[in-house]
Amino acid sequence: MAPTTAPRVRRTAQNTQYTYNLTSRIHAVQTYPVLSPQGATILIYGHENGITIVWRGGRRFKPEVAKEAERGPTSKQNGKPPADAVMILDSDDEEDAAPTKGGPFVNEPQFEESADADAPYPEITQTLDLEFGTAVLHLATLPMTPCTAEDAAWGGTEILKEKIVFAASCATREVFLITLPLVPPSPLSKARAELQENLLAGKAGNGKWGETLTPLHGQTKCSDGLAMTLVKSKTPVERSKSSERSRSESKAVPRVIVAAHASDACGTLRLWDVPIGSVPKTAKRIEPFQAEYLPKPLTSISFNPTYSTQLLCNASPDAVRIYDYALASMAPDDMSEGPFPSQGSWLISFYPPFARPTSSRKPILAASWIAHGRAIFVLLADGQWGIWDIDGVSPQGPALFGKPGSGIRGDALTEFNVSGYVEGTSPLRNPASQRVSGGGSDFVPMTPHSRRDALAASYGPERLASVKGGIVVTSVPASATTTADESVALWIGGAEHVFVIPGVLKFWDAQVRKGAGGGVNLFSGAQPTRMVRLNDLSVGLMGERCTGVGAIVRFSSESGDAITGSSNEQGLPVELLVQGETRLVVVRESETVVGTRIGGVVGRRKRLGERAGQNSAIVVYPRPEQPGSVAYNLSVGPRRKISRSGILDDTFDASPSRDTTTTAGLGQTAPPESAAAATQQLPSRPRSGGGLAFADSLSAAADVQQQDEEDDRDVEVEMLDIMEIDRELDAMDSGRGRGRKKVIFDS
């Protein structure tokens, strides 16, 4: 089930696309936030037969190790053995050698000294298939900032430096917590004889790859979504009679919380507390410590990356709610077991706007935490997006709650701090215009009552129920020149509407300034940021529909730091991962074509020579044997005397060796002694390629003039003038609407 090692590379006007063809249908894709020790990005995707882990980029295995693995684990031949073979009938070491065949997994990979910096794209270093015998539909990873293996001890959990920890749900309603080594298996370990002799030896759970599977019990139907987080050490455990025991266990063994929602009953939400530091016992299932029965099924869930006990639940189209599993909804009783209460609390609900002119709310396609868990980014089915500010992250404030004098704004409708519409989604809001443009003639009853019912059924809120979309928020680590930010990738409908916000905080600040009417200050304001649309994604999908998107943080191969996109030549800080039905497409923005400078400000105008040097288009030059331009004097005006003869001599290249001068008098010829006088009256016909000689130096003259202008500019004076203009505009805005205005009408 592994993808093809060499991708199909296609370059468009905006980006470069790397397509990996798979052999089965893809159900879910996740980018693991921790790099492997050799610097590879880890991709996890679920398919029809299980899970495949892909190590992409980083240092490759040594060539001699790969060649040895290709020769096989042994030199055994099929058919007749060689003549010099010796058969040992009895051996004293047989009992000692037998147990080593099924011994524990030992992985000793050998990598090259450094990564290949000249490679055109990151190559796939290794793949690993975990067979479940059924389809894996959903995956979940920890909501942590992408980092290297050395910095992966999130919350003091040292096991994250060595293990991959993720959750998976299958089509057979089973939920598993899986751990796996971060280091990819070597080619020799994949070529072991025991894996070739037994087809079921590599099945997930046998421990042949160093993996552990912890089954989570309690689901009666297939899960519709997963989420997981790490239990922080600050969690209170003084709740039961066994609090001392649970406190000692929480310090000794790290634990994770896995949440899953399903559609059984009217909708359920279950949470499990799973230890990850110890080896679980065989066939021991973990029961959920909380089970919430909901009025209707949820659409998606996600844990807060900062406040790990808060769970964001999308109950579309009613509301988006926050659930806290550590905050009891009632007084604790002595019958509760473990560090958490048997019932959590619902903190707050956020209500989307209505779909006018009806009384139905707009369906919520996706909602995700942004600003490190202090705000919510939401995408609606009609193309509208909005941000709910919770903790006062917005520059204009105040927050929804948690700030003095603030409070929740709105009862039946929660007001967005900033909002807008995705480009190209107007047909979802105005279906009548799409119908007129299509030119179709549908039958509509002629009675007013039936006509109203038919239009409401065809173009009401029900049309938005089938719209698909999603949001993926990826934290971008801080660098030496930039602060930590987040990149948002969203899609709605299909591959035609896929967008990326490089920095959501800068984007938020720019939208607030735009809504206030003050624009963006180029000197003291935030860097202008916009929502970037990715075009021509159908080139990589090759006819397949888009079923989801992801993001991969771009790390530098030399320093190991994240590429934040602060430089104009770096482009987007993430690579977009587009999920097709049987294909994975990695989209990287090109560095030398349109779309590279996202949100950048050009400091000065480039010269003509610099533009020609960086032009990526085909430049056509004239033939060497032909002149660049030929000028002719075709004037038929009357003869007149030109007083300034010096200008003519400098402008037109007249040859002094000519013995005759042709005037404008329709071919009349003057004698040689009157050549000087004729030259002062009218210019002679220039030679081929000699007239208008100054035209060849126009480019150089423009550059010299531009250089003189740049040298003569006083930047400080210009900045003071601009600041004076800003002060005058602010004074005009502050005085707007005051006093009386006299208006005179002319009759």
Side-chain angles (χ1 to χ4, degrees):
M1 303 302 174
T4 55
T5 304
R8 176 183 179 269
V9 183
R10 289 295 181 270
R11 186 167 185 175
T12 64
Q14 185 192 24
N15 50 55
T16 305
Q17 304 177 16
Y18 307 93
T19 303
Y20 297 91
N21 296 319
L22 308 178
T23 58
S24 61
R25 184 182 180 87
I26 312 171
H27 295 289
V29 180
Q30 286 287 340
T31 303
Y32 195 69
V34 182
L35 298 181
S36 64
Q38 97 277 7
T41 301
I42 301 175
L43 303 178
I44 308 172
Y45 66 90
H47 48 79
E48 293 291 336
N49 196 33
I51 298 175
T52 298
I53 297 93
V54 179
W55 284 265
R56 180 174 179 265
R59 293 179 295 161
R60 297 178 295 183
F61 292 103
K62 291 185 177 181
E64 55 270 16
V65 178
K67 293 180 181 179
E68 184 179 356
E70 293 177 358
R71 292 194 297 266
T74 60
S75 58
K76 182 178 178 180
Q77 298 181 2
N78 295 328
K80 185 178 179 180
D84 56 350
V86 178
M87 181 178 297
I88 301 177
L89 299 178
D90 190 9
S91 176
D92 297 337
D93 300 335
E94 184 177 357
E95 297 180 358
D96 299 337
T100 60
K101 184 177 181 179
F105 171 69
V106 178
N107 186 24
E108 297 179 354
Q110 299 180 9
F111 300 101
E112 296 180 350
E113 297 297 332
S114 61
D116 188 6
D118 298 333
Y121 55 85
E123 299 180 358
I124 293 181
T125 306
Q126 187 61 279
T127 60
L128 178 61
D129 293 330
L130 297 179
E131 298 181 3
F132 283 78
T134 183
V136 174
L137 303 181
H138 301 281
L139 298 170
T141 58
L142 294 174
M144 54 187 301
T145 303
C147 59
T148 59
E150 294 79 6
D151 304 330
W154 187 40
T157 308
E158 297 293 333
I159 193 175
L160 298 178
K161 295 182 178 181
E162 303 175 355
K163 296 289 185 178
I164 303 174
V165 182
F166 64 98
S169 65
C170 303
T172 56
R173 67 179 174 81
E174 294 179 338
V175 181
F176 296 97
L177 180 70
I178 306 170
T179 62
L180 193 73
L182 270 174
V183 181
S186 63
L188 291 177
S189 63
K190 297 185 67 174
R192 287 176 290 174
E194 54 182 325
L195 299 177
Q196 299 181 2
E197 295 174 358
N198 188 4
L199 296 178
L200 300 179
K203 189 176 181 180
N206 292 341
K208 299 299 181 181
W209 309 109
E211 80 280 3
T212 60
L213 266 70
T214 305
L216 308 180
H217 186 63
Q219 291 288 78
T220 59
K221 280 190 177 182
C222 178
S223 301
D224 296 333
L226 291 176
M228 65 181 299
T229 186
L230 186 68
V231 177
K232 301 297 181 62
S233 58
K234 296 181 181 180
T235 302
V237 293
E238 303 173 356
R239 308 197 68 262
S240 63
K241 294 180 293 185
S242 59
S243 59
E244 296 296 335
R245 177 177 55 85
S246 61
R247 185 185 296 108
S248 60
E249 291 179 358
S250 63
K251 291 182 179 180
V253 179
R255 308 191 318 275
V256 296
I257 301 297
V258 180
H261 66 94
S263 59
D264 50 343
C266 292
T268 57
L269 174 64
R270 293 182 175 89
L271 294 93
W272 293 268
D273 184 6
V274 188
I276 58 175
S278 60
V279 179
K281 296 181 180 180
T282 306
K284 180 181 178 181
R285 293 178 178 269
I286 298 179
E287 298 292 336
F289 69 90
Q290 284 185 10
E292 286 282 337
Y293 292 92
L294 310 173
K296 63 181 305 182
L298 299 177
T299 304
S300 62
I301 56 176
S302 60
F303 277 103
N304 194 314
T306 302
Y307 310 102
S308 59
T309 61
Q310 296 181 1
L311 182 66
L312 184 66
C313 303
N314 181 10
S316 176
D318 296 336
V320 174
R321 297 183 172 92
I322 299 178
Y323 178 78
D324 195 332
Y325 66 85
L327 184 62
S329 59
M330 59 185 67
D333 53 349
D334 296 336
M335 299 300 296
S336 60
E337 294 281 341
F340 303 109
S342 58
Q343 199 78 13
S345 301
W346 295 96
L347 301 181
I348 190 173
S349 298
F350 303 92
Y351 298 98
F354 293 93
R356 297 179 180 178
T358 64
S359 60
S360 301
R361 296 186 184 273
K362 299 179 181 180
I364 305 172
L365 296 182
S368 182
W369 299 101
I370 61 172
H372 303 286
R374 302 176 63 186
I376 300 174
F377 191 96
V378 63
L379 178 64
L380 304 180
D382 66 338
Q384 184 181 6
W385 60 267
I387 297 178
W388 284 316
D389 188 9
I390 300 177
D391 287 346
V393 186
S394 172
Q396 67 180 10
L400 290 178
F401 61 92
K403 296 293 182 180
S406 61
I408 301 174
R409 294 175 293 180
D411 296 328
L413 173 63
T414 306
E415 181 182 352
F416 289 120
N417 187 272
V418 291
S419 63
Y421 288 94
V422 177
E423 179 185 356
T425 58
S426 58
L428 296 176
R429 300 182 296 274
N430 302 318
S433 60
Q434 184 181 12
R435 180 187 176 189
V436 172
S437 61
S441 58
D442 298 334
F443 173 77
V444 179
M446 296 303 297
T447 60
H449 181 72
S450 59
R451 181 189 299 272
R452 181 183 57 194
D453 294 342
L455 291 176
S458 302
Y459 303 105
E462 294 80 5
R463 72 183 185 276
L464 302 177
S466 60
V467 179
K468 303 297 180 182
I471 298 174
V472 176
V473 179
T474 305
S475 298
V476 180
S479 63
T481 57
T482 59
T483 58
D485 205 341
E486 293 171 333
S487 179
V488 178
L490 59 94
W491 68 282
I492 177 172
E496 295 81 11
H497 303 91
V498 178
F499 299 84
V500 176
I501 302 177
V504 67
L505 296 181
K506 297 178 182 179
F507 172 78
W508 192 351
D509 192 6
Q511 292 296 321
V512 169
R513 293 173 179 270
K514 180 180 178 181
V520 179
N521 195 335
L522 297 180
F523 299 99
S524 62
Q527 182 183 7
T529 308
R530 60 186 178 90
M531 188 179 295
V532 183
R533 184 174 185 174
L534 300 182
N535 300 317
D536 301 328
L537 295 182
S538 58
V539 176
L541 290 174
M542 294 187 291
E544 293 188 354
R545 63 184 181 94
C546 175
T547 59
V549 297
I552 304 174
V553 176
R554 298 175 57 186
F555 285 89
S556 175
S557 58
E558 292 81 4
S559 60
D561 298 332
I563 298 176
T564 58
S566 58
S567 175
N568 288 340
E569 299 297 334
Q570 298 294 346
L572 295 178
V574 296
E575 292 179 330
L576 194 68
L577 182 63
V578 181
Q579 174 187 346
E581 296 175 344
T582 59
R583 293 184 177 93
L584 288 178
V585 183
V586 179
V587 182
R588 171 179 291 186
E589 186 190 15
S590 301
E591 289 81 0
T592 58
V593 294
V594 179
T596 298
R597 294 175 175 84
I598 302 300
V601 180
V602 180
R604 63 179 181 87
R605 189 174 58 180
K606 290 188 175 182
R607 299 181 182 179
L608 299 178
E610 296 179 1
R611 294 177 183 176
Q614 297 184 2
N615 192 3
S616 60
I618 300 176
V619 181
V620 180
Y621 296 95
R623 295 181 180 180
E625 62 272 7
Q626 294 184 355
S629 60
V630 179
Y632 297 94
N633 184 12
L634 302 179
S635 176
V636 293
R639 181 184 302 176
R640 62 183 181 273
K641 183 176 180 181
I642 299 178
S643 59
R644 294 182 296 177
S645 60
I647 299 178
L648 296 177
D649 295 338
D650 295 337
T651 304
F652 296 93
D653 189 11
S655 176
S657 61
R658 294 174 60 93
D659 52 354
T660 58
T661 303
T662 303
T663 64
L666 297 178
Q668 298 178 0
T669 304
E673 57 272 6
S674 62
T679 303
Q680 295 180 357
Q681 294 177 0
L682 286 177
S684 62
R685 179 178 179 180
R687 294 174 298 175
S688 177
L692 299 177
F694 64 92
D696 298 334
S697 60
L698 283 178
S699 299
D703 291 343
V704 172
Q705 182 179 2
Q706 180 180 357
Q707 181 65 29
D708 296 339
E709 293 177 357
E710 293 179 357
D711 295 340
D712 297 338
R713 289 179 57 186
D714 193 346
V715 181
E716 296 182 358
V717 175
E718 294 180 2
M719 292 180 61
L720 292 176
D721 294 341
I722 294 176
M723 294 174 63
E724 184 67 24
I725 294 175
D726 291 340
R727 284 194 294 267
E728 294 294 336
L729 292 176
D730 294 340
M732 295 173 62
D733 292 338
S734 60
R736 182 179 300 175
R738 300 179 181 177
R740 298 181 179 180
K741 297 181 179 180
K742 297 180 180 180
V743 182
I744 301 176
F745 297 93
D746 295 334
S747 57

